[in-house]
Amino acid sequence: MAGLPPYASTGQRVWYYSFRVICGLIFFFLIAPILVIIPLSFNAQNFFTFTPEMLAFDPAGYSTKHYRDFFTDSDWQLALRNSLKIAPVATLLSVSLGTLAAIGLSQSHVPFRRAIMAVLISPMIVPLIISATGMYFFYSNPYIPIPFFGKVELPFTLTGTYWGVVLAHAALGIPFVIITVTATLVGFDQSLTRAAANMGAGPVTTFFRVQMPLILPGVVSGGLFAFITSFDEVVVVLFVGSAGQKTLPWQMFTGLREQISPTILAVATILITVSVALLFVLEILRRRSERLRGMSPG
Amino acid sequence: MTEVLAADGRPLKASLNRALRRQKLRALALIAPLLIFILVSFVMPIADMLFRSVENDIVSDTLPRTVEALDAWDSASGETPDEAVFQALYTDMALATEYKSHTRLGSRLNYELTGVSSLFRKTGRRVKRFDTDVYADAFRDASPAYADAAQWAEWMDDDALRDALPRTADAYDGWAKMIVEVDNDVPAEEEPWDFVYTALYNDVMTGAEPPVAVDLSGVEPVSLREQFVEIDKDWLDPNVWQTIKIYSPKYTNGYFLNSVDLQKGPDGAEARPESERIYVVLFIRTMIMSLSIMGMCVLLGYPIAWLLANLPDRTSNLLMILVLLPFWTSLLVRTSAWKVLLQQQGVINDTLVWIGLVADGDRLQLINNQTGTIIAMTHILLPFMILPLYSVMKTIPPSYLRAAKSLGATDWTAFWRVYFPQSVPGIGAGCILVFILSIGYYITPELVGGTKGVFISNRIAYHISFSLNWGLAAALGSILLAVVLILYWVYDRIVGIDNVKLGG
C-alpha cells in the first residue's frame, strides 16, 4: 500500500481509508485486552472494571495494593519461587541437548533425518492435554518396555516431584530450541569449522571458540522460547506436578477458576513487563544474528 | 584401470566410504542424547496412553476364576449363571476383598453399567460372613488334621492330591499368595479360610477323595447363589453377568466405542441410550468451534498481514510489535484479560451500557458460553495466522498487482485473480496451524467456556481428574491425537516442518 495515487477515484479513496480503519480496529482488538489489564491492576477497589474514581483520574482511585498482595502472599511467593526454580533448569536441559542435536541434524549426511526431525518437533504439535495425559500415566509409574518380555517397572515415581515437572517442561521446550538453532545453522559456513580444524583445533575447541559464538543468537533465542514455554506452561504441570510444584500460571489458573482476585491482574502486569523485555531481547538477537550472517561468506 | 589409493595406501573409494560412515555416526552420536531423552520423556508417555485406551486386564486380574467359569455361560440365554460360576465368584470376591481390588473393579464396570460399583462394595463387605462356615466346622469336627495349618501346607505340596482336588488346590494357592502379600504371614502357620473349605467340600461332593476321610452327609449344602442374592438381588440380573463377561478379555475396544457413543452389547457394538450420548456432539462442537476460530483468524489476519507486507519496513516493523506482543504475552494473562473484559460487570459491558447500546438490565452474556471461547481464542491464535501469512505475502512482488492494473484489471480483479491465489499457501499454513492448536486447547475454554463452550480436551481432563475413567480419557485422547497427527502430516506436506518460523 504505497500511498494513494493522485488519480484515485472517490471509491478508491473511501476504500483506502476504511481499510486503514478496519486494520486499526483489528490492531486494537489485538493489543487492547493486554493494555487494559495494566491500569486495572492499579485499582484501589477489588473490582475488575474501571471505577468512577479511576475514570476521573482521581489518585484515590489508584493504589498498588494488589502488588503488595502479590509480594506478601505466601501462596503467590511460593508459586513465583517454583516457577523460577523449574523454568531455568528445564531450559538448560533443552538448550544443551537441543543444541547438540541441532548441530548433528545440520550435518550433510544424517540417516532418517526427516523422521528424527518429526519426533523431535512432535512435543510442539501434540496438544498439551494429550502430552499431559500421557505423562500423568507414565510418570506416575515409569517402566522400561522390553520387547517380547514385558516391562520392568522402575522403583520410583516422577508424578508430583520437581524432576518430573522439569523433565516434562524440558521435553516441551526442545522443539523451539531445535527450530531456532537449525535455522541459525543454515546460515553457518561449515568451512569455518574446517578452517579451525586445519589450524589444529580439536572438535571441542572448534565448537566453543568458532561455532558457538556464531550460533549464539540462535541458541539464546531458542533458550528464551524454551524458558517462556516452561514459565507459561500450566496444563502439564497441573497433571504431573503436585501442590509442592505449584507454579505461577497454575496459581493464576486456580485463581481464575475459583475466586478471581485482582492480585491476578497485578501478576499479569508483571508478566506483561517480562514479555516486553523478552521481545526486546529477541529483536536485538535477531538483528545481531542477521549482522553476523552478513559477515560470513556465502 | 588402476585403483586410486588414498594417502594411507587404502583404496580411495573405501577410504571415502569410511569417512562418510564416520560422519554419519558422528551426527547420530550428537543427536542420540536428545532422541533418547524425547523418547523417554515424551514418546513413551504417549505410547503408554495409547496402550491404556485398549488395555483392560482389571476384570481378568480381579476375577480370574469367574471369568473362566463364565466361558461356559451363554450370555444370550437371559438366565443367571449356574452355581459353579457363583462358587468361582465366591473365591474371587473373598480374595479381591482382601486385596481391596473389588472396589476398583466395581468403579471400572460402573462406567458400563450403573450400579455395579455399589453392588461390588456391598458384596465385599459381606462376603466374609457367608454361611459357608458350616463346611469348615464339619471338616474340623471330622478330623483335627483339617484345622492344622502345617498339615494343609503339606497336603497342598502333594501333586497327586492337588490333581485330585483341583478346586481346593486353586483356592488354597490364591489364599496362600494373599496371606503372604497382604498379611505378611506364613501360610503354613495359618488356618485356611472358609472359602478354601468350601472348595474342598465342592471337590468332595463331585466325587473326589479327601485327604482324610470325612462323612459330610449331615452337612446342609449352602447355595452360594442364594448367599449372593441375599446380599443384593442384582446378582440375579443377567445384565451384570453380561457386563462382566463382555469386559473380561485383556484388551477391549470398549473405550473407543464409548468415545463415539457406542457400547459393547452381547453381539457387537450398539448405540448408547439417548441420554448418554455426549461425545459425538462434543467432537462435532470442537470441530465447528475450531473451524469458526480459524475462519475468524483468516478474516482478521489477512488484512493485517497484507498491511504489514505492503507498508514501508520502518512502519511495518513498528506495527509488527503489536502482533508480537500478544504472541509473547503469557496465555494466562490473555485469558484473564478476556475474563475481566467479558464479564457481565466487565469493561465491555460497562462501555456498551455507557454508550447506551445495551440497557443496564440486560447486559450481554459474553462469557461462559461459545461466544466467550471463540472471542478469546481468536485473539490468542491470531498471531499464528498473521505470521505465516505475512511471510508468504512478503515474497509476492508488488509489481504483479501494478502489472495487472495496467493491463486493465479493476482493483478487485487484480486482487482476486492475481494476488489472492499467490497468498493461498500462507492461508493454508496459517489455517492448519490455528486449527491444530485450537482443537486441543484446554486452558482458555476451561476458563471462559462455561459448560457450552468447552472442547473435547476439557472432557479428557475431567475423566482424568474427576471421574477417574482413565481408559476413556486415553481413548478420547487417542482420537484427538490421530486427528492432529493427520493434520500435522498435511502441514508437513504443504509447508514442511523445517519451515516453521517463530516470531517472524
Side-chain angles (χ1 to χ4, degrees):
Chain A
M1 188 173 286
L4 208 54
Y7 50 82
S9 67
T10 323
Q12 279 172 327
R13 268 167 213 284
V14 170
W15 170 242
Y16 178 85
Y17 288 112
S18 45
F19 182 75
R20 301 232 151 175
V21 171
I22 292 170
C23 286
L25 286 175
I26 300 172
F27 277 123
F28 181 75
F29 170 73
L30 267 170
I31 207 78
I34 297 170
L35 294 186
V36 105
I37 287 271
I38 299 172
L40 279 179
S41 71
F42 292 100
N43 198 337
Q45 309 281 328
N46 282 342
F47 291 146
F48 288 99
T49 187
F50 291 99
T51 54
E53 292 85 12
M54 291 180 88
L55 292 173
F57 293 107
D58 180 357
Y62 295 87
S63 98
T64 53
K65 73 174 199 166
H66 302 313
Y67 291 87
R68 269 203 306 283
D69 281 352
F70 171 67
F71 285 109
T72 50
D73 187 272
S74 61
D75 275 357
W76 282 106
Q77 285 305 301
L78 175 71
L80 177 66
R81 266 203 307 279
N82 275 331
S83 278
L84 290 178
K85 266 196 320 212
I86 290 168
V89 180
T91 307
L92 203 69
L93 252 177
S94 26
V95 168
S96 47
L97 290 174
T99 308
L100 272 190
I103 290 173
L105 278 169
S106 66
Q107 312 220 322
S108 42
H109 301 282
V110 185
F112 314 113
R113 185 171 190 278
R114 231 182 140 72
I116 292 175
M117 196 74 178
V119 171
L120 296 184
I121 303 288
S122 60
M124 192 173 82
I125 302 296
V126 173
L128 278 174
I129 187 77
I130 293 176
S131 316
T133 308
M135 286 167 171
Y136 176 70
F137 292 147
F138 184 76
Y139 284 13
S140 62
N141 196 4
Y143 57 83
I144 305 169
I146 298 169
F148 308 114
F149 171 73
K151 52 192 187 188
V152 180
E153 296 200 356
L154 297 176
F156 56 85
T157 170
L158 287 167
T159 308
T161 65
Y162 170 73
W163 284 106
V165 179
V166 167
L167 217 63
H169 278 183
L172 295 180
I174 275 165
F176 299 99
V177 178
I178 293 282
I179 288 174
T180 48
V181 179
T182 38
T184 323
L185 282 167
V186 169
F188 179 76
D189 186 0
Q190 291 289 345
S191 60
L192 291 176
T193 53
R194 281 199 289 274
N198 211 1
M199 293 181 187
V204 177
T205 320
T206 316
F207 175 71
F208 281 108
R209 305 272 313 261
V210 178
Q211 196 164 19
M212 196 61 186
L214 284 172
I215 62 168
L216 196 63
V219 174
V220 174
S221 58
L224 283 179
F225 271 105
F227 182 83
I228 205 84
T229 308
S230 166
F231 198 71
D232 197 17
E233 205 289 323
V234 55
V235 188
V236 168
V237 79
L238 269 176
F239 282 82
V240 174
S242 66
Q245 285 83 44
K246 191 178 259 198
T247 58
L248 221 44
W250 180 345
Q251 180 72 20
M252 287 180 84
F253 178 73
T254 40
L256 283 173
R257 196 156 61 168
E258 283 140 27
Q259 18 62 296
I260 162 161
S261 107
T263 315
I264 289 173
L265 298 184
V267 182
T269 308
I270 295 172
L271 290 181
I272 292 171
T273 323
V274 172
S275 32
V276 169
L278 271 177
L279 188 62
F280 194 66
V281 173
L282 267 175
E283 184 61 23
I284 291 173
L285 283 173
R286 197 176 61 86
R287 297 215 169 142
R288 188 183 137 82
S289 158
E290 269 171 14
R291 219 179 50 231
L292 281 177
R293 206 177 291 179
M295 259 159 47
S296 63
Chain B
M1 196 177 113
T2 53
E3 208 166 17
V4 184
L5 295 184
D8 58 353
R10 294 159 185 269
L12 182 62
K13 215 171 171 187
S15 194
L16 282 176
N17 273 340
R18 213 172 110 230
L20 183 66
R21 211 164 43 238
R22 257 234 200 95
Q23 208 180 355
K24 277 187 183 174
L25 277 179
R26 213 175 75 109
L28 280 185
L30 285 170
I31 301 169
L34 180 67
L35 200 59
I36 292 170
F37 179 80
I38 285 283
L39 284 178
V40 171
S41 65
F42 185 78
V43 178
M44 286 211 346
I46 302 279
D48 186 58
M49 183 199 76
L50 294 178
F51 180 65
R52 261 173 208 271
S53 64
V54 290
E55 183 192 33
N56 183 53
D57 44 17
I58 185 166
V59 179
S60 49
D61 275 359
T62 317
L63 306 175
R65 299 167 187 83
T66 316
V67 166
E68 213 184 309
L70 272 176
D71 257 355
W73 176 64
D74 176 15
S75 58
S77 65
E79 281 172 28
T80 323
D82 57 7
E83 181 72 13
V85 173
F86 280 99
Q87 282 168 14
L89 181 67
Y90 175 46
T91 309
D92 283 336
M93 276 305 282
L95 286 170
T97 316
E98 287 310 306
Y99 284 110
K100 300 199 168 45
S101 55
H102 66 295
T103 48
R104 270 179 43 222
L105 176 62
S107 27
R108 163 69 186 96
L109 290 177
N110 206 56
Y111 305 142
E112 315 301 339
L113 186 71
T114 321
V116 179
S117 180
S118 66
L119 174 65
F120 272 65
R121 263 170 220 284
K122 228 159 132 188
T123 311
R125 276 198 299 273
R126 292 190 28 195
V127 76
K128 271 171 119 178
R129 289 177 307 193
F130 274 7
D131 295 340
T132 45
D133 50 343
V134 294
Y135 297 145
D137 290 343
F139 280 108
R140 286 196 211 103
D141 288 348
S143 159
Y146 284 110
D148 184 356
Q151 180 66 59
W152 266 99
E154 199 178 298
W155 284 336
M156 287 300 135
D157 259 352
D158 180 357
D159 282 341
L161 204 57
R162 286 178 68 94
D163 288 344
L165 305 167
R167 272 170 259 198
T168 318
D170 180 45
Y172 184 84
D173 287 349
W175 171 81
K177 193 160 167 276
M178 182 271 294
I179 289 289
V180 173
E181 286 173 5
V182 181
D183 294 357
N184 285 323
D185 278 330
V186 182
E189 293 167 8
E190 301 286 318
E191 198 184 326
W193 295 2
D194 286 353
F195 67 86
V196 182
Y197 289 101
T198 312
L200 179 60
Y201 174 83
N202 288 324
D203 272 334
V204 172
M205 288 323 267
T206 46
E209 201 57 46
V212 177
V214 224
D215 176 26
L216 293 173
S217 57
V219 181
E220 185 80 14
V222 181
S223 163
L224 284 170
R225 184 188 156 111
E226 262 150 44
Q227 293 286 317
F228 274 104
V229 172
E230 212 171 282
I231 300 175
D232 199 311
K233 283 212 170 24
D234 278 353
W235 284 116
L236 282 178
D237 181 0
N239 281 333
V240 171
W241 291 100
Q242 213 173 56
T243 310
I244 296 178
K245 190 173 165 123
I246 288 175
Y247 286 92
S248 58
K250 283 220 177 275
Y251 297 99
T252 177
N253 57 3
Y255 293 121
F256 277 101
L257 290 177
N258 197 343
S259 2
V260 289
D261 289 343
L262 298 173
Q263 63 185 2
K264 279 175 92 116
D267 22 61
E270 54 187 51
R272 274 190 184 259
E274 199 88 39
S275 58
E276 289 174 23
R277 290 184 205 162
I278 50 171
Y279 296 111
V280 170
V281 177
L282 200 55
F283 270 115
I284 292 174
R285 190 205 287 160
T286 306
M287 290 283 175
I288 290 177
M289 284 179 63
S290 299
L291 283 175
S292 1
I293 290 162
M294 188 184 92
M296 291 286 286
C297 282
V298 176
L299 218 62
L300 299 181
Y302 200 91
I304 293 293
W306 198 79
L307 190 73
L308 288 175
N310 288 288
L311 279 176
D313 273 358
R314 275 191 82 80
T315 334
S316 79
N317 273 347
L318 267 179
L319 285 177
M320 196 54 142
I321 293 178
L322 298 184
V323 179
L324 290 180
L325 183 61
F327 180 76
W328 276 99
T329 307
S330 162
L331 166 68
L332 276 159
V333 170
R334 285 180 281 170
T335 308
S336 32
W338 283 110
K339 188 138 182 156
V340 169
L341 288 176
L342 296 174
Q343 282 178 27
Q344 296 231 308
Q345 303 299 326
V347 176
I348 291 183
N349 265 315
D350 276 358
T351 315
L352 289 176
V353 169
W354 183 67
I355 296 173
L357 276 176
V358 173
D360 200 11
D362 44 41
R363 285 165 174 256
L364 298 178
Q365 172 77 32
L366 294 170
I367 204 168
N368 296 335
N369 56 18
Q370 300 192 1
T371 323
T373 308
I374 291 178
I375 294 178
M377 281 186 59
T378 304
H379 176 251
I380 287 166
L381 296 176
L382 193 50
F384 291 94
M385 179 64 85
I386 294 177
L387 294 174
L389 260 176
Y390 169 74
S391 60
V392 168
M393 286 180 175
K394 202 70 186 153
T395 63
I396 305 176
S399 52
Y400 285 11
L401 265 185
R402 286 203 294 273
K405 280 185 201 162
S406 75
L407 288 172
T410 61
D411 284 354
W412 170 250
T413 320
F415 167 75
W416 184 246
R417 302 272 305 270
V418 176
Y419 195 88
F420 183 75
Q422 297 186 78
S423 65
V424 165
I427 299 183
C431 280
I432 298 181
L433 198 59
V434 168
F435 193 77
I436 287 182
L437 288 171
S438 74
I439 201 174
Y441 240 67
Y442 166 66
I443 294 296
T444 309
E446 179 76 18
L447 290 175
V448 299
T451 49
K452 282 275 175 222
V454 294
F455 284 6
I456 198 76
S457 18
N458 301 84
R459 200 70 198 167
I460 297 176
Y462 165 79
H463 281 308
I464 290 182
S465 332
F466 297 104
S467 83
L468 303 183
N469 190 349
W470 291 356
L472 182 58
L476 290 170
S478 306
I479 295 176
L480 183 60
L481 182 65
V483 173
V484 169
L485 287 185
I486 291 171
L487 287 170
Y488 176 40
W489 180 77
V490 173
Y491 184 85
D492 188 27
R493 277 286 136 121
I494 297 178
V495 196
I497 26 172
D498 297 10
N499 293 337
V500 181
K501 291 238 169 50
L502 297 168

